[in-house]
């Protein structure tokens, strides 16, 4: 369902309450990586150019409902001011008279950032009174924090109900365009690639992708649970015992649906999960005292063939322990194959996004999602509360 976009609302001389995702890493009191702040710039710049007064709000880390000076958003205000080349006001108060006074001091085109929303327990409880107090700070609401739309919190869901117009910013509009296409109108062949550590986290998305994608490529730590379910030797590899039976069911489901589900046919293994470990090649059956830490060259070749012919590719989760140089080949190969494939390519999840950046191919991926959890839930076909609450276009 298309949502009202920020460029379709009249904001001149209005105060716009904007939920951004400034959940950035901090080091020594400064922003250590400003990627998320940069991602919000198009929406912020648009509202500035329109002469709106902006009240930005975000969470940062997990202060568990208590003020924690180490998790103050003040460094994010400084960082944003540098990126914009103009001042950004900061309000230590999130709601109430003090916050309202800070909003009243804004000039047209001015920007104010509120303190960390999660200093208040009411934020994560989606407390209606807290949401209403936040809503009192603006005339219109814009959400551009895709990374948090899968959570129904006061600033992402509750607050939207107090506005006639609750619009999405440019970042969310782009996520909805690409992920919406993968969910509702994927081009065929559609290849989904899943990796990472835990099967349990990705079962629902595998189920959903089995319906929508033509081919599923599985790698990473979760592959061994599937291989074990098929009766193969997995040595001391990561195993998600409680989901073993379910992995078998999913394999049967794929077969029943006539889908291609590929598992690794060879591996790179080591005696232990160790940064200095030497990568040893292994065939399909992993020796008893070895663990699989990356997909092997035959698997890489097979997965590349599938990716090369795809018109749409969605990827979440690394193919191996790519943090260790000896075991990053499979993950980097997938990143390069996607960059070269010529179809629509979507990457989600912090590790895969990091891998695409490290492999130097980020600019050749159609869409890099800013929300790992949110993008997975979206691809499952679940309703995301922070999207559902926005006004329809
Ligand atoms: P996830 O958060 O589920 O996407 O998992 C990402 C993590 O899975 C990364 O830190 C990888 O190092 C890890 N991982 C990938 N492959 C393996 C493997 N074969 N064995 C253990 N961990 C793995």
């Amino acid at each position: 369902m298309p949502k009202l976009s920020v460029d379709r609302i009249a904001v001149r001389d209005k105060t716009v309450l904007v939920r951004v995702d400034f959940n950035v890493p901090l080091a020594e009191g400064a922003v250590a990586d400003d990627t998320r702040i940069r991602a919000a710039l198009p929406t912020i710049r648009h509202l500035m150019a329109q002469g709106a007064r902006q009240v930005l709000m975000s969470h940062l880390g997990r202060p568990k409902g208590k003020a924690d000076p180490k998790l103050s958003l003040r460094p994010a205000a400084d960082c944003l001011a540098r990126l914009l080349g103009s001042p950004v006001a900061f309000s230590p108060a999130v709601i109430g008279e003090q916050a309202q006074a800070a909003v009243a001091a804004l000039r047209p085109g001015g920007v104010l950032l509120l303190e960390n929303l999660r200093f208040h327990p009411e934020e994560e409880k989606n407390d209606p009174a807290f949401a209403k107090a936040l809503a009192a700070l603006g005339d219109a609401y814009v959400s551009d924090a895709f990374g948090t739309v899968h959570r129904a919190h006061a600033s992402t869901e509750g607050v939207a109900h107090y506005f006639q117009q609750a619009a999405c910013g440019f970042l969310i509009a782009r996520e909805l365009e690409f992920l919406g296409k993968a969910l509702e109108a994927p081009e065929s062949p559609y290849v989904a690639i899943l990796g990472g550590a835990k099967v349990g986290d990705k079962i629902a998305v595998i189920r959903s992708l089995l319906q929508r994608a033509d081919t599923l490529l599985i790698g990473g730590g979760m592959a061994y649970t599937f291989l074990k379910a098929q009766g193969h030797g997995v040595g001391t590899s990561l195993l998600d015992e409680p989901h073993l039976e379910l992995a078998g069911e999913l394999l049967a489901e794929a077969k029943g649906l006539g889908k291609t589900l590929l598992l690794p046919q060879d591996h790179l293994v080591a005696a232990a999960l160790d940064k200095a470990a030497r990568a040893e090649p292994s065939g399909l059956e992993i020796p008893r005292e070895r663990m699989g830490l990356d997909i092997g060259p035959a698997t890489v070749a097979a997965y590349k063939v599938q990716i090369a012919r795809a018109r749409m590719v969605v990827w979440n989760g690394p193919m191996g322990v790519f943090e260790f140089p000896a075991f990053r080949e499979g993950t980097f190969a997938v990143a390069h194959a996607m960059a070269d494939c010529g179809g629509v390519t979507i990457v989600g999840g912090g590790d895969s996004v990091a891998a695409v950046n490290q492999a130097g191919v980020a600019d050749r991926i159609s869409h890099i999602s800013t929300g790992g959890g949110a993008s997975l839930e979206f691809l499952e076909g679940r309703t995301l509360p922070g999207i559902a609450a926005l006004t329809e276009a």
Side-chain angles (χ1 to χ4, degrees):
M1 196 65 74
K3 293 294 179 178
L4 180 67
S5 168
V6 63
D7 54 353
R8 304 300 294 272
I9 59 174
V11 296
R12 189 164 299 282
D13 296 326
K14 297 238 174 84
T15 303
V16 185
L17 186 62
V18 189
R19 176 54 156 104
V20 287
D21 181 2
F22 285 179
N23 184 26
V24 289
L26 298 175
E28 288 162 30
V31 173
D33 178 345
D34 64 4
T35 308
R36 286 188 169 151
I37 299 181
R38 284 178 189 275
L41 290 177
T43 296
I44 296 170
R45 286 208 175 105
H46 167 80
L47 289 169
M48 286 173 86
Q50 294 293 308
R53 297 174 174 84
Q54 278 181 83
V55 181
L56 307 179
M57 55 180 178
S58 176
H59 76 281
L60 175 62
R62 297 197 170 132
K64 306 215 172 93
K66 281 202 289 280
D68 177 351
K70 288 196 295 295
L71 292 175
S72 170
L73 272 168
R74 198 182 278 275
D78 298 338
C79 175
L80 176 62
R82 262 197 314 280
L83 292 171
L84 290 173
S86 58
V88 171
F90 181 76
S91 170
V94 165
I95 54 167
E97 272 173 36
Q98 235 189 313
Q100 276 161 6
V103 175
L106 278 174
R107 293 161 174 269
V111 180
L112 167 75
L113 175 64
L114 304 177
E115 183 54 286
N116 192 345
L117 293 163
R118 289 196 189 164
F119 286 0
H120 297 260
E122 296 89 345
E123 159 67 358
E124 287 178 86
K125 288 187 187 134
N126 198 4
D127 178 78
F130 184 70
K132 193 172 177 187
L134 286 174
L137 302 176
D139 308 307
Y141 172 74
V142 171
S143 172
D144 217 14
F146 186 71
T148 56
V149 291
H150 57 316
R151 315 221 183 277
H153 292 167
S155 68
T156 60
E157 200 274 341
V159 72
H161 300 289
Y162 296 96
F163 293 93
Q164 250 181 349
Q165 291 191 311
C168 64
F170 296 121
L171 189 67
I172 287 194
R174 197 178 149 78
E175 295 277 4
L176 295 181
E177 182 194 334
F178 277 94
L179 295 172
K181 195 168 154 54
L183 188 70
E184 276 149 22
E187 296 200 35
S188 197
Y190 172 15
V191 174
I193 311 162
L194 288 173
K198 290 200 100 187
V199 185
D201 294 350
K202 291 181 187 163
I203 284 165
V205 78
I206 293 174
R207 276 242 149 85
S208 162
L209 287 169
L210 276 176
Q211 300 295 329
R212 295 177 170 91
D214 302 298
T215 303
L216 253 77
L217 309 178
I218 293 185
M222 62 186 249
Y224 307 105
T225 304
F226 286 93
L227 289 170
K228 175 91 177 173
Q230 285 185 331
H232 296 295
V234 298
T236 56
S237 304
L238 204 64
L239 193 64
D240 189 351
E241 284 275 4
H243 291 110
L244 201 52
E245 208 179 302
L246 198 76
E249 284 168 27
L250 288 171
L251 290 171
E253 218 170 294
K255 206 165 176 190
L257 289 164
K259 301 291 168 103
T260 307
L261 190 157
L262 298 188
L263 294 171
Q265 50 187 286
D266 63 345
H267 318 273
L268 294 184
V269 302
L273 185 64
D274 182 351
K275 197 173 176 144
R278 196 172 55 84
E280 302 165 28
S282 159
L284 177 57
E285 306 298 329
I286 297 177
R288 279 237 304 273
E289 260 125 55
R290 291 289 180 271
M291 56 173 68
L293 295 178
D294 195 5
I295 56 176
T299 308
V300 167
Y303 287 12
K304 271 172 133 173
V305 168
Q306 296 294 334
I307 297 167
R309 57 190 282 274
R311 306 231 5 236
M312 172 158 252
V313 187
V314 168
W315 178 30
N316 185 301
M319 297 290 100
V321 183
F322 77 107
E323 296 93 333
F324 300 169
F327 302 99
R328 69 181 185 197
E329 223 29 66
T331 300
F332 278 29
V334 162
H336 281 283
M338 283 181 75
D340 294 338
C341 88
V344 177
T345 49
I346 301 173
V347 177
D351 287 310
S352 328
V353 172
V356 157
N357 283 320
Q358 286 169 28
V361 297
D363 57 343
R364 292 196 287 137
I365 299 295
S366 315
H367 179 62
I368 295 183
S369 178
T370 52
S375 66
L376 275 182
E377 289 196 20
F378 190 100
L379 291 172
E380 280 167 31
R382 276 210 245 176
T383 302
L384 306 182
I387 299 290
L390 301 178
T391 311
E392 263 145 45

